[in-house]
């Protein structure tokens, strides 16, 4: 037994366990995956809250990170642009490199692991914004397994305030069009400027456009 102060816990070897009942009233033993009593008590409270609120982790919680990342990319492939897909492919590679491909999602859903990841990526010289973007992907993966609630203490890293304004002022917009209008007749600068001003597209996005895309934008 874990002691009279927490009789709901017991040990098997060095690991703490507890008993729970399913919807049919059947009794099940569940591991808390730690030999530390303090951590075991915290995990016990988390699990009982999950059970009471009907938000227990699903079968995905037993997936390896590699399985979850492969499934995530298959899903995302259908909904995002090719460039964004390549970016997310790079993100999941970093997740697997640091956490390990065989790491189980239920083990990964711990704020300690999240903090270790943030620290390692910053140590590697990656910006806080990039780390936050990587955490968005991990959040999506853990949500599919109903595990994200276990890292409710997570906070994105603080990023530097950009000195670039969100949008051009009216005067800046007028000057942009004036300069673009002075471009050579057979150039693309005037068209690109008008398109960027009207849609907010960036240079890389404009370069990938085809004539058919412009016809769609016109309507």
């Amino acid at each position: 037994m874990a002691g009279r102060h927490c009789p709901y816990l017991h040990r098997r070897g060095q690991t703490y366990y507890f008993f729970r009942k399913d919807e049919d009233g059947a009794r099940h033993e569940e591991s808390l995956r730690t030999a530390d009593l303090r951590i075991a008590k915290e995990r016990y409270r988390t699990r009982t809250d999950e059970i009471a609120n009907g938000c227990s982790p699903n079968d995905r919680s037993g997936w390896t990170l590699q399985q979850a990342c492969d499934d995530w990319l298959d899903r995302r492939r259908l909904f995002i642009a090719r460039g964004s897909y390549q970016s997310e492919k790079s993100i999941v590679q970093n997740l697997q490199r640091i956490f390990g491909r065989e790491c189980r999602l239920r083990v990964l859903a711990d704020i300690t692991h999240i903090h270790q990841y943030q620290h390692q990526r910053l140590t590697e010289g990656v910006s806080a914004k990039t780390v936050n973007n990587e955490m968005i992907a991990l959040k999506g993966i853990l949500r599919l397994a109903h595990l994200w609630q276990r890292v409710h203490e997570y906070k994105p890293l603080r990023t530097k305030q950009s000195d670039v304004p969100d949008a051009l002022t009216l005067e800046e917009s007028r000057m942009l069009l004036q300069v673009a209008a002075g471009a050579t007749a057979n150039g693309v600068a005037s068209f690109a400027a008008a398109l960027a001003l009207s849609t907010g597209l960036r240079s890389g996005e404009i370069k990938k456009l085809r004539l058919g895309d412009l016809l769609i934008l016109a309507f």
Side-chain angles (χ1 to χ4, degrees):
M1 297 293 291
R4 59 184 180 181
H5 296 298
C6 46
Y8 44 83
L9 303 181
H10 63 279
R11 285 199 298 185
R12 189 180 298 281
Q14 295 300 313
T15 303
Y16 283 99
Y17 289 77
F18 75 101
F19 286 105
R20 64 176 177 83
K21 291 184 179 181
D22 62 19
E23 295 178 353
D24 299 322
R27 198 164 180 244
H28 300 275
E29 185 181 49
E30 185 170 323
S31 172
L32 292 166
R33 310 180 312 283
T34 183
D36 186 309
L37 179 58
R38 181 185 60 81
I39 296 175
K41 291 164 73 172
E42 290 176 356
R43 290 180 178 175
Y44 173 79
R45 286 192 291 269
T46 296
R47 281 297 290 128
T48 52
D49 286 344
E50 289 174 346
I51 293 168
N53 295 323
C55 59
S56 290
N58 56 33
D59 291 341
R60 286 174 177 265
S61 64
W63 284 14
T64 65
L65 182 57
Q66 182 173 10
Q67 287 177 302
C69 286
D70 289 345
D71 177 77
W72 176 259
L73 289 177
D74 284 341
R75 291 168 175 269
R76 298 290 286 166
R77 189 195 306 271
L78 303 175
F79 298 104
I80 58 179
R82 183 180 301 176
S84 298
Y85 176 81
Q86 291 301 320
S87 176
E88 295 207 6
K89 189 175 181 180
S90 176
I91 286 174
V92 300
Q93 287 172 347
N94 282 317
L95 293 175
Q96 292 179 70
R97 175 176 60 85
I98 294 176
F99 290 127
R101 296 173 183 270
E102 299 304 313
C103 180
R104 301 286 173 177
L105 295 188
R106 62 171 171 262
V107 175
L108 181 58
D110 188 300
I111 192 62
T112 301
H113 294 304
I114 303 299
H115 288 162
Q116 290 172 346
Y117 183 90
Q118 291 174 319
H119 176 74
Q120 181 164 340
R121 291 295 281 148
L122 290 175
T123 301
E124 293 173 350
V126 176
S127 72
K129 184 177 186 301
T130 296
V131 179
N132 289 342
N133 289 339
E134 293 172 349
M135 286 294 99
I136 290 174
L138 180 61
K139 180 179 180 179
I141 290 171
L142 292 179
R143 270 186 167 173
L144 288 174
H146 295 178
L147 284 168
W148 182 249
Q149 74 275 5
R150 292 190 174 183
V151 287
H152 55 84
E153 308 101 318
Y154 166 76
K155 292 182 180 180
L157 296 173
R158 183 176 299 177
T159 58
K160 293 181 179 180
Q161 185 72 27
S162 174
D163 57 0
V164 178
D166 294 332
L168 296 180
T169 65
L170 289 176
E171 179 61 21
E172 289 169 337
S173 299
R174 183 184 64 78
M175 291 178 61
L176 172 65
L177 293 178
Q178 278 185 345
V179 173
T184 57
N186 60 347
V188 298
S190 57
F191 301 104
L195 186 59
L197 185 61
S198 301
T199 64
L201 290 173
R202 294 171 291 184
S203 61
E205 295 167 326
I206 291 176
K207 292 172 184 176
K208 295 177 183 178
L209 290 175
R210 299 293 181 266
L211 290 178
D213 297 324
L214 297 178
L215 290 174
I216 294 174
L217 289 171
F219 291 98

